[in-house]
Amino acid sequence: MAVPRLAAGEGGRRHRLSVSRRAAAAGVAGAVRGGVRDGRGELRRRGAALCWADRRGRPVTPLWRTADFGYLRLHEGAAKPWPRYGRAALTSWPDRCDGPEFFVFFNNDPGGAVIDAGVMAAEAERRDRRISRVPRVRPRR
């Protein structure tokens, strides 16, 4: 699987590509067979971000920075009630997401981990990051 180079969209807007771990693994394996041995470098050359992901509040993907933006998909925290996120995860992820622009998405599951998005946004704002479209909630004490 080749990583496409995306041209400017309508009105000159730039398209961005984030590649999931599964797609990256398939693409990297295909690239190795095709003679490209550096999947991380290939993503960087194409300006594509590797989609970071977690399970139980810990990274399950390499935290490669391969583009001028980042994309994080939070799947499941380790706090109770399941699948919520605890204070440590909600304060450490904003430190990792220190690029000029980072898109962070919470899984919207039955346990309501998405509620933690407001807490994480507050942590990011304390680090002078610009936040958009987030519910306003107070951190659990």
PDB file of all heavy atoms in Angstrom, residues 103-125:
ATOM      1  N   PHE A 103      -5.042  16.818  16.648  1.00  0.00           N
ATOM      2  CA  PHE A 103      -6.457  16.457  16.675  1.00  0.00           C
ATOM      3  C   PHE A 103      -6.595  15.277  17.632  1.00  0.00           C
ATOM      4  O   PHE A 103      -5.940  14.251  17.445  1.00  0.00           O
ATOM      5  CB  PHE A 103      -6.942  16.068  15.275  1.00  0.00           C
ATOM      6  CG  PHE A 103      -6.793  17.192  14.284  1.00  0.00           C
ATOM      7  CD1 PHE A 103      -5.649  17.318  13.514  1.00  0.00           C
ATOM      8  CD2 PHE A 103      -7.802  18.134  14.153  1.00  0.00           C
ATOM      9  CE1 PHE A 103      -5.504  18.356  12.609  1.00  0.00           C
ATOM     10  CE2 PHE A 103      -7.666  19.180  13.249  1.00  0.00           C
ATOM     11  CZ  PHE A 103      -6.520  19.291  12.478  1.00  0.00           C
ATOM     12  N   VAL A 104      -7.431  15.436  18.665  1.00  0.00           N
ATOM     13  CA  VAL A 104      -7.607  14.402  19.681  1.00  0.00           C
ATOM     14  C   VAL A 104      -9.073  14.002  19.711  1.00  0.00           C
ATOM     15  O   VAL A 104      -9.946  14.864  19.843  1.00  0.00           O
ATOM     16  CB  VAL A 104      -7.156  14.893  21.066  1.00  0.00           C
ATOM     17  CG1 VAL A 104      -7.357  13.807  22.116  1.00  0.00           C
ATOM     18  CG2 VAL A 104      -5.705  15.360  21.020  1.00  0.00           C
ATOM     19  N   PHE A 105      -9.317  12.716  19.601  1.00  0.00           N
ATOM     20  CA  PHE A 105     -10.685  12.198  19.604  1.00  0.00           C
ATOM     21  C   PHE A 105     -10.823  11.125  20.674  1.00  0.00           C
ATOM     22  O   PHE A 105      -9.968  10.258  20.804  1.00  0.00           O
ATOM     23  CB  PHE A 105     -11.035  11.604  18.231  1.00  0.00           C
ATOM     24  CG  PHE A 105     -11.048  12.637  17.152  1.00  0.00           C
ATOM     25  CD1 PHE A 105      -9.888  12.946  16.465  1.00  0.00           C
ATOM     26  CD2 PHE A 105     -12.207  13.330  16.841  1.00  0.00           C
ATOM     27  CE1 PHE A 105      -9.880  13.912  15.479  1.00  0.00           C
ATOM     28  CE2 PHE A 105     -12.212  14.300  15.864  1.00  0.00           C
ATOM     29  CZ  PHE A 105     -11.044  14.595  15.174  1.00  0.00           C
ATOM     30  N   PHE A 106     -11.912  11.201  21.423  1.00  0.00           N
ATOM     31  CA  PHE A 106     -12.236  10.188  22.424  1.00  0.00           C
ATOM     32  C   PHE A 106     -13.262   9.238  21.837  1.00  0.00           C
ATOM     33  O   PHE A 106     -14.184   9.669  21.146  1.00  0.00           O
ATOM     34  CB  PHE A 106     -12.829  10.833  23.679  1.00  0.00           C
ATOM     35  CG  PHE A 106     -11.814  11.420  24.600  1.00  0.00           C
ATOM     36  CD1 PHE A 106     -11.249  12.648  24.327  1.00  0.00           C
ATOM     37  CD2 PHE A 106     -11.434  10.740  25.746  1.00  0.00           C
ATOM     38  CE1 PHE A 106     -10.322  13.201  25.181  1.00  0.00           C
ATOM     39  CE2 PHE A 106     -10.500  11.286  26.607  1.00  0.00           C
ATOM     40  CZ  PHE A 106      -9.940  12.517  26.328  1.00  0.00           C
ATOM     41  N   ASN A 107     -13.125   7.962  22.147  1.00  0.00           N
ATOM     42  CA  ASN A 107     -14.117   6.983  21.747  1.00  0.00           C
ATOM     43  C   ASN A 107     -15.430   7.309  22.468  1.00  0.00           C
ATOM     44  O   ASN A 107     -15.440   7.559  23.663  1.00  0.00           O
ATOM     45  CB  ASN A 107     -13.631   5.579  22.132  1.00  0.00           C
ATOM     46  CG  ASN A 107     -14.437   4.494  21.488  1.00  0.00           C
ATOM     47  OD1 ASN A 107     -14.990   4.682  20.408  1.00  0.00           O
ATOM     48  ND2 ASN A 107     -14.498   3.356  22.131  1.00  0.00           N
ATOM     49  N   ASN A 108     -16.514   7.346  21.740  1.00  0.00           N
ATOM     50  CA  ASN A 108     -17.808   7.636  22.339  1.00  0.00           C
ATOM     51  C   ASN A 108     -18.509   6.318  22.632  1.00  0.00           C
ATOM     52  O   ASN A 108     -19.274   5.807  21.834  1.00  0.00           O
ATOM     53  CB  ASN A 108     -18.644   8.504  21.397  1.00  0.00           C
ATOM     54  CG  ASN A 108     -19.865   9.042  22.089  1.00  0.00           C
ATOM     55  OD1 ASN A 108     -19.999   8.939  23.301  1.00  0.00           O
ATOM     56  ND2 ASN A 108     -20.764   9.612  21.320  1.00  0.00           N
ATOM     57  N   ASP A 109     -18.204   5.748  23.770  1.00  0.00           N
ATOM     58  CA  ASP A 109     -18.710   4.426  24.117  1.00  0.00           C
ATOM     59  C   ASP A 109     -19.772   4.510  25.208  1.00  0.00           C
ATOM     60  O   ASP A 109     -20.008   5.566  25.768  1.00  0.00           O
ATOM     61  CB  ASP A 109     -17.549   3.535  24.555  1.00  0.00           C
ATOM     62  CG  ASP A 109     -16.668   4.248  25.551  1.00  0.00           C
ATOM     63  OD1 ASP A 109     -17.203   4.923  26.446  1.00  0.00           O
ATOM     64  OD2 ASP A 109     -15.453   4.152  25.420  1.00  0.00           O
ATOM     65  N   PRO A 110     -20.398   3.380  25.532  1.00  0.00           N
ATOM     66  CA  PRO A 110     -21.483   3.385  26.515  1.00  0.00           C
ATOM     67  C   PRO A 110     -21.066   3.871  27.893  1.00  0.00           C
ATOM     68  O   PRO A 110     -21.881   4.382  28.639  1.00  0.00           O
ATOM     69  CB  PRO A 110     -21.924   1.919  26.584  1.00  0.00           C
ATOM     70  CG  PRO A 110     -21.361   1.252  25.397  1.00  0.00           C
ATOM     71  CD  PRO A 110     -20.188   2.054  24.944  1.00  0.00           C
ATOM     72  N   GLY A 111     -19.780   3.723  28.252  1.00  0.00           N
ATOM     73  CA  GLY A 111     -19.330   4.140  29.577  1.00  0.00           C
ATOM     74  C   GLY A 111     -19.071   5.620  29.698  1.00  0.00           C
ATOM     75  O   GLY A 111     -18.805   6.123  30.776  1.00  0.00           O
ATOM     76  N   GLY A 112     -19.104   6.348  28.601  1.00  0.00           N
ATOM     77  CA  GLY A 112     -18.971   7.800  28.645  1.00  0.00           C
ATOM     78  C   GLY A 112     -17.569   8.340  28.809  1.00  0.00           C
ATOM     79  O   GLY A 112     -17.371   9.397  29.403  1.00  0.00           O
ATOM     80  N   ALA A 113     -16.541   7.670  28.277  1.00  0.00           N
ATOM     81  CA  ALA A 113     -15.178   8.190  28.372  1.00  0.00           C
ATOM     82  C   ALA A 113     -15.049   9.547  27.691  1.00  0.00           C
ATOM     83  O   ALA A 113     -14.162  10.331  28.017  1.00  0.00           O
ATOM     84  CB  ALA A 113     -14.177   7.211  27.766  1.00  0.00           C
ATOM     85  N   VAL A 114     -15.962   9.855  26.779  1.00  0.00           N
ATOM     86  CA  VAL A 114     -15.904  11.134  26.084  1.00  0.00           C
ATOM     87  C   VAL A 114     -16.047  12.310  27.060  1.00  0.00           C
ATOM     88  O   VAL A 114     -15.569  13.413  26.790  1.00  0.00           O
ATOM     89  CB  VAL A 114     -16.963  11.184  24.952  1.00  0.00           C
ATOM     90  CG1 VAL A 114     -18.362  11.302  25.511  1.00  0.00           C
ATOM     91  CG2 VAL A 114     -16.657  12.303  23.981  1.00  0.00           C
ATOM     92  N   ILE A 115     -16.652  12.080  28.219  1.00  0.00           N
ATOM     93  CA  ILE A 115     -16.766  13.129  29.237  1.00  0.00           C
ATOM     94  C   ILE A 115     -15.387  13.622  29.638  1.00  0.00           C
ATOM     95  O   ILE A 115     -15.189  14.793  29.950  1.00  0.00           O
ATOM     96  CB  ILE A 115     -17.534  12.614  30.473  1.00  0.00           C
ATOM     97  CG1 ILE A 115     -18.945  12.188  30.087  1.00  0.00           C
ATOM     98  CG2 ILE A 115     -17.548  13.628  31.589  1.00  0.00           C
ATOM     99  CD1 ILE A 115     -19.782  13.280  29.476  1.00  0.00           C
ATOM    100  N   ASP A 116     -14.400  12.744  29.609  1.00  0.00           N
ATOM    101  CA  ASP A 116     -13.042  13.117  29.990  1.00  0.00           C
ATOM    102  C   ASP A 116     -12.401  14.083  28.998  1.00  0.00           C
ATOM    103  O   ASP A 116     -11.370  14.678  29.291  1.00  0.00           O
ATOM    104  CB  ASP A 116     -12.169  11.870  30.140  1.00  0.00           C
ATOM    105  CG  ASP A 116     -12.599  11.017  31.334  1.00  0.00           C
ATOM    106  OD1 ASP A 116     -13.066  11.597  32.330  1.00  0.00           O
ATOM    107  OD2 ASP A 116     -12.479   9.789  31.249  1.00  0.00           O
ATOM    108  N   ALA A 117     -13.001  14.265  27.825  1.00  0.00           N
ATOM    109  CA  ALA A 117     -12.460  15.210  26.838  1.00  0.00           C
ATOM    110  C   ALA A 117     -12.395  16.613  27.422  1.00  0.00           C
ATOM    111  O   ALA A 117     -11.429  17.346  27.187  1.00  0.00           O
ATOM    112  CB  ALA A 117     -13.313  15.202  25.569  1.00  0.00           C
ATOM    113  N   GLY A 118     -13.402  17.004  28.179  1.00  0.00           N
ATOM    114  CA  GLY A 118     -13.403  18.335  28.793  1.00  0.00           C
ATOM    115  C   GLY A 118     -12.282  18.504  29.794  1.00  0.00           C
ATOM    116  O   GLY A 118     -11.651  19.560  29.876  1.00  0.00           O
ATOM    117  N   VAL A 119     -12.010  17.472  30.561  1.00  0.00           N
ATOM    118  CA  VAL A 119     -10.925  17.523  31.541  1.00  0.00           C
ATOM    119  C   VAL A 119      -9.579  17.634  30.829  1.00  0.00           C
ATOM    120  O   VAL A 119      -8.727  18.445  31.190  1.00  0.00           O
ATOM    121  CB  VAL A 119     -10.958  16.288  32.466  1.00  0.00           C
ATOM    122  CG1 VAL A 119      -9.789  16.314  33.446  1.00  0.00           C
ATOM    123  CG2 VAL A 119     -12.285  16.225  33.208  1.00  0.00           C
ATOM    124  N   MET A 120      -9.398  16.817  29.790  1.00  0.00           N
ATOM    125  CA  MET A 120      -8.138  16.866  29.042  1.00  0.00           C
ATOM    126  C   MET A 120      -7.970  18.217  28.357  1.00  0.00           C
ATOM    127  O   MET A 120      -6.868  18.762  28.295  1.00  0.00           O
ATOM    128  CB  MET A 120      -8.067  15.740  28.031  1.00  0.00           C
ATOM    129  CG  MET A 120      -6.719  15.649  27.359  1.00  0.00           C
ATOM    130  SD  MET A 120      -6.641  14.136  26.396  1.00  0.00           S
ATOM    131  CE  MET A 120      -5.241  14.489  25.400  1.00  0.00           C
ATOM    132  N   ALA A 121      -9.058  18.780  27.849  1.00  0.00           N
ATOM    133  CA  ALA A 121      -8.988  20.097  27.211  1.00  0.00           C
ATOM    134  C   ALA A 121      -8.545  21.154  28.217  1.00  0.00           C
ATOM    135  O   ALA A 121      -7.741  22.029  27.893  1.00  0.00           O
ATOM    136  CB  ALA A 121     -10.338  20.459  26.605  1.00  0.00           C
ATOM    137  N   ALA A 122      -9.064  21.076  29.439  1.00  0.00           N
ATOM    138  CA  ALA A 122      -8.652  22.026  30.478  1.00  0.00           C
ATOM    139  C   ALA A 122      -7.158  21.895  30.762  1.00  0.00           C
ATOM    140  O   ALA A 122      -6.457  22.903  30.940  1.00  0.00           O
ATOM    141  CB  ALA A 122      -9.471  21.806  31.749  1.00  0.00           C
ATOM    142  N   GLU A 123      -6.666  20.657  30.790  1.00  0.00           N
ATOM    143  CA  GLU A 123      -5.223  20.438  30.991  1.00  0.00           C
ATOM    144  C   GLU A 123      -4.424  21.042  29.836  1.00  0.00           C
ATOM    145  O   GLU A 123      -3.378  21.653  30.038  1.00  0.00           O
ATOM    146  CB  GLU A 123      -4.915  18.940  31.121  1.00  0.00           C
ATOM    147  CG  GLU A 123      -5.446  18.300  32.375  1.00  0.00           C
ATOM    148  CD  GLU A 123      -4.786  18.829  33.640  1.00  0.00           C
ATOM    149  OE1 GLU A 123      -3.628  19.301  33.579  1.00  0.00           O
ATOM    150  OE2 GLU A 123      -5.437  18.770  34.688  1.00  0.00           O
ATOM    151  N   ALA A 124      -4.893  20.863  28.620  1.00  0.00           N
ATOM    152  CA  ALA A 124      -4.204  21.420  27.452  1.00  0.00           C
ATOM    153  C   ALA A 124      -4.227  22.948  27.483  1.00  0.00           C
ATOM    154  O   ALA A 124      -3.227  23.596  27.161  1.00  0.00           O
ATOM    155  CB  ALA A 124      -4.841  20.899  26.171  1.00  0.00           C
ATOM    156  N   GLU A 125      -5.355  23.530  27.885  1.00  0.00           N
ATOM    157  CA  GLU A 125      -5.438  25.001  27.975  1.00  0.00           C
ATOM    158  C   GLU A 125      -4.450  25.549  28.987  1.00  0.00           C
ATOM    159  O   GLU A 125      -3.878  26.615  28.796  1.00  0.00           O
ATOM    160  CB  GLU A 125      -6.859  25.430  28.332  1.00  0.00           C
ATOM    161  CG  GLU A 125      -7.796  25.378  27.143  1.00  0.00           C
ATOM    162  CD  GLU A 125      -9.204  25.812  27.485  1.00  0.00           C
ATOM    163  OE1 GLU A 125      -9.685  25.514  28.613  1.00  0.00           O
ATOM    164  OE2 GLU A 125      -9.826  26.449  26.625  1.00  0.00           O
TER     165      GLU A 125
END
